[in-house]
Amino acid sequence: MTTSKQWVLASRPTGTPTMDNFRLEEVELPELSDGQILVENKVNTVDPYMRGRMNDVKSYIPPFEIDKPMTGGAVGIVRESRSEKFKVGDAVSHSLGWQDVAVVDESSAKPVDLDMAPAHAYLGILGLTGLTAYVGLTRIAEIKEGDVVFVSGAAGAVGSAVGQFAHQLGASKVIGSAGTDEKVERLKELGFDAAINYREGNLSAQLKEAAPEGIDLYFDNVGGEHLEAAIARMNEFGRVAMCGAIAQYNDTEKPSGPRNLALAIGKCLTLRGFVLGKYLDAAPEFQERMAPLVLKGDIKYDVTTRHGIEAMPEAFLELFTGGNTGKMVVEM
């Protein structure tokens, strides 16, 4: 029998998760059935949205179950196959991460070309991360030529893609916020026209200085104070793509803001939330327009790597303390 090391949800967190909420188990995997493959995971991803799945609440994606394996994106190599679609040695992406070996239904696996790009790229800029950035800009906020764009969490995987995609899609100016001076400098290297360290003082004042002409499009990954500051600087008919609110994911009290939401009325703003699963039809368009720019090196991406299945919970928790620049992945 093949064994797998799997992280399970040991308990539901209150506030910020701790290591006590996770448990590593070694289990025997069942023999393959027709249409299944055995995948040795090479790279697993951890993402902020997983925090919501740790709560027992109804949402756009089912919560993790207590004492059951956690899941997430992974790229691995097929080691056994009872599938006509995949043979031993093929590289695939799938959603049974948080473990080192997985039994995957062929319908849930997608081939990837590791000669074209490294495994982590298919979990990030060439995968759902990049698609999220593209959908938020094009389908949700309907980016226009000449837009002034502001993105929060700009040094993260989605945010750094948003900033670079925005320029490719016609933005005249792109501003990003991050939490350290090092990340601010990295945003400038990635082509952001201005970058703010939100920990250094009054966010609204810094944003006003960075965008005296106002903002036309705000891509929100953070919520809270960032959303409030963006609303204050939005121009008439501005658009907000509400992708995430990481500043509030671990809150135990109801958030207080944004306190200036009434400004959206007079400014005729559009604030529109989205989850990527409703817009997967945009994938071919994204691959046609953005993927070639990534492969040419015109769009760059950062990866923060941790090592070993044992490191997964710590890597996940680092997302909430600013431990990552770009995509956070765990190499097996």
Side-chain angles (χ1 to χ4, degrees):
M1 297 289 289
T2 300
T3 61
S4 174
K5 291 182 178 179
Q6 304 176 339
W7 283 100
V8 304
L9 184 65
S11 60
R12 299 200 185 279
T14 300
T16 303
T18 69
M19 286 299 297
D20 290 338
N21 300 125
F22 307 88
R23 184 174 67 252
L24 184 62
E25 297 182 345
E26 187 164 355
V27 300
E28 291 185 345
L29 296 178
E31 293 186 5
L32 298 183
S33 300
D34 289 342
Q36 291 185 324
I37 52 178
L38 183 71
V39 180
E40 180 184 351
N41 289 338
K42 294 300 184 182
V43 183
N44 290 347
T45 181
V46 290
D47 299 289
Y49 82 89
M50 295 174 179
R51 174 60 185 86
R53 297 191 69 190
M54 297 179 77
N55 298 331
D56 188 14
V57 295
K58 185 177 181 180
S59 185
Y60 64 92
I61 188 169
F64 295 129
E65 296 183 46
I66 297 292
D67 296 327
K68 295 292 181 64
M70 299 175 68
T71 57
V75 169
I77 305 298
V78 177
R79 295 307 183 201
E80 296 180 26
S81 177
R82 290 188 61 181
S83 164
E84 295 183 358
K85 292 176 60 177
F86 301 103
K87 66 181 184 301
V88 172
D90 285 349
V92 297
S93 64
H94 61 91
S95 61
L96 293 182
W98 287 85
Q99 52 193 297
D100 58 0
V101 183
V103 174
V104 181
D105 292 335
E106 64 179 12
S107 60
S108 301
K110 179 180 178 181
V112 296
D113 186 349
L114 299 184
D115 292 326
M116 185 174 70
H120 56 69
Y122 294 100
L123 297 173
I125 193 71
L126 292 176
L128 298 183
T129 297
L131 183 57
T132 298
Y134 183 79
V135 165
L137 286 170
T138 59
R139 295 282 187 91
I140 308 304
E142 299 178 346
I143 189 169
K144 298 182 174 77
E145 189 81 24
D147 274 348
V148 175
V149 176
F150 174 47
V151 54
S152 56
V158 172
S160 57
V162 168
Q164 296 178 84
F165 290 178
H167 270 313
Q168 296 288 341
L169 295 168
S172 63
K173 185 175 186 178
V174 178
I175 303 154
S177 72
T180 69
D181 289 340
E182 291 78 11
K183 290 181 179 180
V184 164
E185 289 306 310
R186 180 55 179 160
L187 293 181
K188 294 175 182 178
E189 294 172 358
L190 293 176
F192 283 70
D193 301 289
I196 295 167
N197 183 344
Y198 68 87
R199 298 184 190 275
E200 285 194 342
N202 187 303
L203 176 60
S204 294
Q206 290 189 78
L207 188 54
K208 183 176 181 179
E209 181 178 355
E213 67 275 63
I215 299 162
D216 303 301
L217 189 161
Y218 171 48
F219 196 108
D220 189 20
N221 291 308
V222 175
E225 182 185 5
H226 275 80
L227 180 55
E228 185 172 300
I231 289 173
R233 294 303 304 156
M234 295 293 289
N235 294 324
E236 284 189 349
F237 298 103
R239 292 93 61 208
V240 178
M242 302 176 69
C243 179
I246 195 171
Q248 300 164 208
Y249 287 172
N250 293 319
D251 286 352
T252 56
E253 303 292 333
K254 291 184 178 180
S256 60
R259 296 165 294 181
N260 60 349
L261 190 57
L263 290 178
I265 301 168
K267 293 186 176 187
C268 302
L269 304 183
T270 299
L271 286 77
R272 186 174 176 188
F274 75 104
V275 293
L276 185 61
K278 305 295 185 182
Y279 299 91
L280 295 178
D281 63 300
E285 179 185 321
F286 162 69
Q287 292 294 333
E288 180 180 348
R289 298 183 71 181
M290 295 293 112
L293 299 174
V294 174
L295 297 176
K296 285 170 56 181
D298 293 341
I299 292 173
K300 305 183 187 307
Y301 58 96
D302 292 319
V303 180
T304 300
T305 305
R306 301 293 180 255
H307 298 277
I309 187 69
E310 293 80 7
M312 287 206 67
E314 292 97 333
F316 171 68
L317 296 176
E318 284 189 73
L319 297 174
F320 303 98
T321 58
N324 64 300
T325 299
K327 185 72 172 175
M328 176 70 88
V329 298
V330 180
E331 292 185 347
M332 298 294 100

